[in-house]
Amino acid sequence: MTKSEIKFEVETDDEMIPERILWNAPNKPGEQDETKALSRAAWDHHEQTPLRIDLRTKALPLAEMRGFYLHALAGMAESVKDATGDEEMADAMLALCERFAERVPVDE
């Protein structure tokens, strides 16, 4: 069995608002990388609910944040289709992404 670890470091200001998010993984070439947003979810099968971590730095522009969530939702739609075969749910999620991509400004 092979194990891999992905490590996230979050630097915050005095009010615990993220200023920098750094990540690294042993299998990733190069040094630690920086990102402006992070969204992770894990399934708690005992409580039947997701455990979520959603972070963004103060430096992330609103337009980029919207794009981040649209792309994340589109990626989840593909995951739903691959993991469950539920094309109806995946298509509905992608349709929502398309609807918001048309009406959400990307330049602010």
Side-chain angles (χ1 to χ4, degrees):
M1 178 191 327
T2 304
K3 290 185 180 184
S4 185
E5 178 179 289
I6 301 172
K7 181 178 176 183
F8 294 98
E9 293 181 18
V10 181
E11 297 176 7
T12 62
D13 64 12
D14 292 336
E15 296 175 4
M16 300 301 292
I17 298 171
E19 291 186 334
R20 293 181 74 201
I21 302 170
L22 305 166
W23 71 276
N24 201 3
N27 300 339
K28 180 188 76 62
E31 297 296 316
Q32 206 168 38
D33 280 326
E34 186 169 351
T35 186
K36 294 179 183 178
L38 168 69
S39 182
R40 304 294 339 134
W43 184 248
D44 181 338
H45 66 277
H46 297 292
E47 297 293 326
Q48 295 291 295
T49 186
L51 306 169
R52 297 196 44 83
I53 298 172
D54 292 299
L55 300 172
R56 75 174 187 95
T57 64
K58 295 188 267 187
L60 182 62
L62 183 57
E64 282 186 42
M65 190 71 200
R66 289 177 173 146
F68 171 69
Y69 280 118
L70 284 173
H71 284 281
L73 184 57
M76 286 176 57
E78 292 299 318
S79 293
V80 164
K81 188 165 73 173
D82 292 344
T84 68
D86 191 338
E87 290 191 29
E88 182 180 357
M89 184 177 183
D91 290 346
M93 293 168 73
L94 289 171
L96 180 64
C97 289
E98 290 173 10
R99 191 176 108 212
F100 277 100
E102 290 174 0
R103 69 178 271 278
V104 172
V106 291
D107 297 324
E108 292 191 11

